[in-house]
Amino acid sequence: MSSRQQSIPPLAKLVQESSRIRQQIVDLFRPSPEKLLLRSDVDLTPLRNHYRKSALAKEADTFCLWRIIGNDLVPRHRKGQSRDNVAFILDHETELQDCTKHWLLNRIFDSDEQAAIIELLDRYDQPYHCIPFDLSEYARQSWDLEGLPDSAFSVSESSAKPGPGQRIDARVRRLKNNYAINNNGARNAALSLGRSLAKWVLPWDGNCFLTAEAWAAIREDVRRQPFLPYFMVPMTRTTANRELLRPEFAPKPTEEPQIIFRKDAAETFDERFPYGRRPKVELLWRLDVRGPWDRSPMEPGDLPKPALSPDAGYYARAGWVARLESGRPDLEVYRKSWKHRGGVRDEAIVAFLDGLDRRFLERHLDRTALAFYDEKKLRAVAQGSLPEFKESLRARAEEALSRGPYSVTDKTTLPPSGDPHDYWHPAPYWWPDPNKANGRPYVRRDGHRVPGTELYEPGSEQFDRTRLQRLFDDTTALALAWRVLGDERFINHAANLIRTWFIDPRTRMEPHLRYAQVRRGHNNDEGASTGIIEMKDLYFFLDAVRIVVGADALNTEEDAALQVWFQEYATWLAKSEQGTAEMHQVNNHGTLYDVQVAAVAAFLGDAPTLVATLRRAQERILQQFAPDGAQPNELRRVNTRHYCCFNLQGWTSLSRLLSSSCGYDLWNYTTGDGRGVRPAMEWLFDSLGTGSWPYPDQGTFDRRRLQPLVWDYKRLYAEPDTYGVLSAELEPPKLVFHPHDGIAPFWALASDYNVK
């Protein structure tokens, strides 16, 4: 026998040596026992005996790995990082013994990015499944405003103060998060798909990478205790993917584990828990898997910690897995950056979801389209339907031709600034203090109006309030009359009204209301936040502007100047002390602030502001309405009937603006305890329906003010007989109300957008 033949060990010895080396490698990468946080008080004997008698015990230990690829969330991730990680896995990960690999594309919004990932998977002949993203379905997801310490958190004065609820911005987007990011939804989908493919299912994040050694350790650990239905695979975080290719790479698997499920495992992921707020930890809690996540404090609005599962303790640790880079190495060192990582993650969640909301609005938003009045109804009137409307419009427009144009410079007194271009109107119930030589600071005399502060009364020419209202009413009557009658005099005069008030440098108003409802001696002689309500009728006036612009009665430069004016006014509403204070109002002032903001945003095509206004409106529903539909804040006023009707009219105007301009359905939104526009209508109708108002009231009330509300109710909620008696009582319709009633002129020509 040659010396070479003598050096070859027998086959049995070779196999034994190979097995020994392989076990050494497995043991090298298995977490040390002192780091395992396992329950030692669980008797696994019944579980082991049950398994031995089951059909599963005779089934080979096969594995099905599903990697879930979602949207890159910038700035938590680098744009394109998910695709780069897929490429790294396909290029460098070895075949895994007894395991098939699958991919789940989870509601990827960017169609180009999804196509690029699919091209990669196809090139490597990888099986995949897609959960599609539907922007319209996403838009139906509401904000989750209930269960918070302050359900109206962005409307409340306290929202401006820092505190423990700083992460609430991400929390209130929980339902949107659960659809668009779909963290636990995708995990459950992978789990469901995998159960028919293998004995063990791995519904894992898409950035998981398995080295040969890591997989050997996992496989050995699972095969050693297959009677357990769950295995926890701790993760090691890497800042650079190439580190995993070094032979000397030493893992530190201390991160939140991935989970392996036996196909008959009873538990799944709770899809109520959103990405960023313990979506996987919630299941770890139920299974009583203990770790550093137990030290993370609960925050305002967090979903409660769940009870233990019947399967609690039925798990073991298995091997380890690497977490590929996110493109943000500064966020990947756990002990130094986990708090910062959480903050950046929340920032990314909010930015991504708000971007989707903007995308949806931008698809529907047309700043040139009428937002309040209905084009079809106007055409019908022009073609001979509703002749009483045509004649009333003609009469109003002819009357408007005899007035104006109006300018803030026409007033006969000056605001405290001394600039005639500043809008100026004193607070109507504030008078000089008779006990002070200069009368300041002024004092309130409730029920006694300052002369000239009543709309249209003699002496009101001193100030700008009547002049502003004439601008709104006359421009609207002229524009609508031109649309149905075609008389060029009407559209030309309407254009001149707009040009004089907003555009001509000699006569234009400065884009703010700093001197609306001034109380001398207060606030440096600047106006009160409540003065902003004097511009409340922008919502229908801006439709008149659209008609004038669409008729080419204003040229391109004038249209651009008008947009600049309203952009500056919108900035003042959002940033000024007065605007901020009005936004925080808990009654009709807050409602009509939102109506103004939404009307201007729709006119400017400002989708982000419309999104913010919609969310704020949903918070106001919790703030303003009781579960039975009552309006507690308006019932505190002297004229309770007026204010309940006035505020609800504001809500219908806001609902119409949001539905017609961008497709959002506020009409049918209800909170968990039943608050919403519809219940508020029903409460008002029931309270006024018998003619006996059951609350204190010192004013008179025109019951015909209910007709626009009844008309909307019958149209929207398909119950024509519910308030049929009330509707019949209010016939025939009153087409034009006093501006104090909060009803647009020719309200019956408003949009009847069909909410689905």
Side-chain angles (χ1 to χ4, degrees):
M1 181 179 292
S2 68
S3 60
R4 181 170 180 271
Q5 289 174 320
Q6 291 174 347
S7 67
I8 299 175
L11 180 60
K13 185 177 180 180
L14 181 63
V15 171
Q16 182 180 15
E17 182 67 13
S18 174
S19 177
R20 184 186 66 80
I21 294 172
R22 182 171 60 108
Q23 188 60 48
Q24 285 179 340
I25 293 173
V26 169
D27 292 341
L28 176 65
F29 290 103
R30 182 178 288 115
S32 57
E34 63 271 15
K35 293 182 180 179
L36 300 182
L37 297 172
L38 303 176
R39 283 183 53 170
S40 59
D41 60 336
V42 178
D43 182 5
L44 299 178
T45 303
L47 196 68
R48 185 182 291 107
N49 292 338
H50 176 77
Y51 176 79
R52 286 173 178 169
K53 297 175 183 178
S54 71
L56 278 173
K58 302 180 179 65
E59 189 175 322
D61 288 304
T62 57
F63 300 82
C64 177
L65 168 60
W66 284 86
R67 288 189 179 90
I68 301 165
I69 309 298
N71 296 283
D72 294 316
L73 299 178
V74 179
R76 174 60 188 92
H77 310 122
R78 178 179 60 79
K79 179 66 176 173
Q81 187 65 52
S82 295
R83 174 159 45 98
D84 289 348
N85 283 343
V86 171
F88 181 84
I89 293 168
L90 295 174
D91 285 339
H92 298 290
E93 189 176 80
T94 63
E95 292 298 314
L96 307 178
Q97 186 177 357
D98 298 325
C99 181
T100 59
K101 302 178 185 180
H102 302 260
W103 302 81
L104 184 66
L105 276 58
N106 180 31
R107 291 195 176 138
I108 298 177
F109 171 72
D110 187 330
S111 57
D112 291 337
E113 191 66 22
Q114 176 166 295
I117 293 172
I118 289 175
E119 190 277 329
L120 261 176
L121 298 176
D122 286 341
R123 191 190 317 161
Y124 283 81
D125 197 26
Q126 294 286 297
Y128 61 87
H129 177 83
C130 289
I131 300 177
F133 182 92
D134 184 331
L135 190 58
S136 295
E137 181 64 26
Y138 168 78
R140 285 190 278 273
Q141 311 306 311
S142 183
W143 286 275
D144 183 16
L145 303 171
E146 299 177 63
L148 301 177
D150 185 349
S151 57
F153 77 98
S154 72
V155 179
S156 169
E157 293 282 3
S158 64
S159 66
K161 303 174 185 177
Q166 291 175 339
R167 302 184 70 180
I168 286 180
D169 271 343
R171 162 62 174 80
V172 299
R173 291 162 173 80
R174 178 176 70 92
L175 303 177
K176 293 173 177 286
N177 180 333
N178 285 343
Y179 177 82
I181 302 177
N182 194 36
N183 201 191
N184 278 351
R187 286 170 173 157
N188 283 340
L191 189 54
S192 177
L193 289 165
R195 281 185 166 129
S196 63
L197 301 176
K199 182 176 178 179
W200 299 95
V201 186
L202 290 64
W204 285 7
D205 298 341
N207 55 8
C208 291
F209 181 87
L210 289 160
T211 65
E213 295 80 9
W215 179 248
I218 291 171
R219 182 171 173 272
E220 283 296 315
D221 286 339
V222 172
R223 295 179 70 195
R224 184 179 292 113
Q225 302 182 83
F227 56 89
L228 292 169
Y230 310 94
F231 285 87
M232 305 298 143
V233 183
M235 297 187 74
T236 185
R237 193 179 293 272
T238 181
T239 57
N241 292 345
R242 62 181 178 275
E243 294 178 4
L244 298 168
L245 306 180
R246 294 187 293 108
E248 66 274 18
F249 175 75
K252 297 179 180 179
T254 59
E255 296 288 325
E256 182 180 300
Q258 298 291 317
I259 306 175
I260 299 175
F261 296 74
R262 202 172 63 206
K263 68 179 182 180
D264 64 331
E267 295 297 340
T268 60
F269 296 93
D270 188 334
E271 297 183 23
R272 298 175 304 148
F273 279 70
Y275 170 74
R277 293 310 295 158
R278 306 183 179 92
K280 194 196 306 165
V281 165
E282 187 279 336
L283 179 54
L284 300 182
W285 278 337
R286 276 187 281 142
L287 294 176
D288 203 18
V289 182
R290 302 165 189 178
W293 44 87
D294 294 316
R295 297 192 295 271
S296 179
M298 301 294 282
E299 296 186 3
D302 276 344
L303 296 177
K305 187 174 181 178
L308 288 177
S309 161
D311 284 357
Y314 291 173
Y315 65 87
R317 298 280 288 272
W320 60 276
V321 61
R323 180 191 185 97
L324 295 178
E325 63 187 74
S326 67
R328 290 292 305 272
D330 57 311
L331 300 177
E332 300 304 331
V333 181
Y334 182 80
R335 290 182 180 177
K336 295 182 179 180
S337 64
W338 70 271
K339 287 185 178 180
H340 180 48
R341 185 164 63 241
V344 173
R345 181 177 56 217
D346 284 353
E347 178 187 348
I349 291 168
V350 171
F352 174 64
L353 299 176
D354 286 359
L356 295 178
D357 284 321
R358 288 194 296 272
R359 289 289 189 96
F360 177 78
L361 262 74
E362 287 163 357
R363 287 189 181 182
H364 294 81
L365 185 56
D366 178 1
R367 64 168 297 268
T368 66
L370 300 187
F372 184 80
Y373 292 106
D374 186 83
E375 290 278 9
K376 292 180 180 179
K377 287 190 174 182
L378 291 172
R379 285 197 297 271
V381 174
Q383 294 165 3
S385 299
L386 304 172
E388 67 276 19
F389 283 70
K390 182 180 288 189
E391 292 311 309
S392 182
L393 279 169
R394 187 194 305 276
R396 292 276 175 169
E398 291 287 355
E399 184 181 346
L401 286 176
S402 67
R403 292 191 291 257
Y406 310 103
S407 168
V408 290
T409 61
D410 293 338
K411 55 183 168 282
T412 59
T413 60
L414 288 175
S417 66
D419 186 349
H421 292 274
D422 288 338
Y423 179 91
W424 153 232
H425 194 232
Y429 300 110
W430 289 76
W431 294 75
D433 186 341
N435 299 316
K436 303 286 178 64
N438 64 358
R440 302 185 183 188
Y442 278 21
V443 294
R444 182 176 175 85
R445 294 173 60 189
D446 199 9
H448 298 275
R449 292 190 72 101
V450 173
T453 59
E454 183 73 48
L455 272 177
Y456 313 129
E457 72 171 340
S460 62
E461 66 276 0
Q462 302 173 75
F463 314 119
D464 288 316
R465 178 68 185 97
T466 290
R467 198 171 286 107
L468 176 66
Q469 195 63 48
R470 290 288 191 199
L471 169 76
F472 290 157
D473 294 343
D474 288 358
T475 307
T476 301
L478 289 161
L480 295 176
W482 174 81
R483 178 58 64 88
V484 302
L485 296 166
D487 191 325
E488 293 296 319
R489 295 178 303 151
F490 298 156
I491 201 69
N492 290 335
H493 191 52
N496 203 26
L497 293 177
I498 296 167
R499 188 180 293 115
T500 303
W501 191 275
F502 296 102
I503 300 172
D504 189 332
R506 298 168 299 176
T507 57
R508 72 191 288 269
M509 170 188 163
E510 287 297 316
H512 61 74
L513 292 172
R514 286 177 60 189
Y515 303 101
Q517 297 194 10
V518 171
R519 300 167 299 158
R520 295 284 190 174
H522 298 267
N523 193 32
N524 297 318
D525 281 348
E526 293 194 6
S529 67
T530 52
I532 289 174
I533 204 170
E534 296 184 2
M535 196 77 90
K536 66 180 174 59
D537 289 338
L538 282 176
Y539 70 97
F540 65 78
F541 169 74
L542 288 173
D543 265 1
V545 173
R546 290 180 175 96
I547 291 172
V548 172
V549 171
D552 294 328
L554 293 175
N555 61 38
T556 303
E557 291 76 15
E558 290 173 325
D559 181 28
L562 196 59
Q563 290 185 59
V564 169
W565 193 98
F566 277 103
Q567 184 60 68
E568 292 177 356
Y569 179 65
T571 300
W572 183 85
L573 279 177
K575 302 294 185 181
S576 68
E577 183 178 334
Q578 285 165 263
T580 301
E582 190 73 347
M583 184 269 287
H584 288 310
Q585 293 295 319
V586 299
N587 60 5
N588 63 84
H589 279 268
T591 307
L592 291 167
Y593 174 88
D594 284 349
V595 173
Q596 258 195 78
V597 169
V600 174
F603 179 73
L604 296 173
D606 181 357
T609 297
L610 280 169
V611 172
T613 306
L614 174 67
R615 189 190 76 195
R616 192 164 59 237
Q618 293 184 358
E619 293 178 51
R620 289 198 198 281
I621 284 176
L622 283 162
Q623 184 187 54
Q624 289 194 13
F625 297 127
D628 66 352
Q631 300 177 53
N633 298 319
E634 308 306 330
L635 288 173
R636 297 189 183 101
R637 305 297 292 269
V638 173
N639 300 328
T640 53
R641 284 179 297 178
H642 162 73
Y643 280 108
C644 286
C645 193
F646 180 73
N647 186 45
L648 188 53
Q649 195 69 55
W651 277 100
T652 63
S653 296
L654 181 60
S655 300
R656 181 169 281 105
L657 280 172
L658 291 170
S659 61
S660 62
S661 63
C662 52
Y664 270 110
D665 181 7
L666 191 61
W667 295 105
N668 290 298
Y669 172 78
T670 54
T671 64
D673 59 359
R675 308 176 206 218
V677 173
R678 177 177 181 173
M681 285 183 172
E682 292 170 347
W683 174 85
L684 186 65
F685 297 157
D686 291 339
S687 299
L688 279 167
T690 62
S692 177
W693 179 248
Y695 304 96
D697 191 279
Q698 297 181 14
T700 59
F701 184 77
D702 180 359
R703 287 176 61 82
R704 287 176 297 178
R705 290 174 59 184
L706 292 175
Q707 184 160 43
L709 299 172
V710 173
W711 180 79
D712 272 331
Y713 185 90
K714 291 167 64 177
R715 172 179 59 85
L716 286 159
Y717 306 124
E719 297 185 16
D721 297 328
T722 306
Y723 296 101
V725 174
L726 183 58
S727 180
E729 176 197 335
L730 301 172
E731 296 291 348
K734 183 176 179 179
L735 301 184
V736 179
F737 289 83
H738 191 281
H740 281 163
D741 295 339
I743 300 170
F746 302 98
W747 57 270
L749 298 178
S751 167
D752 57 355
Y753 178 86
N754 185 24
V755 179
K756 296 180 180 179

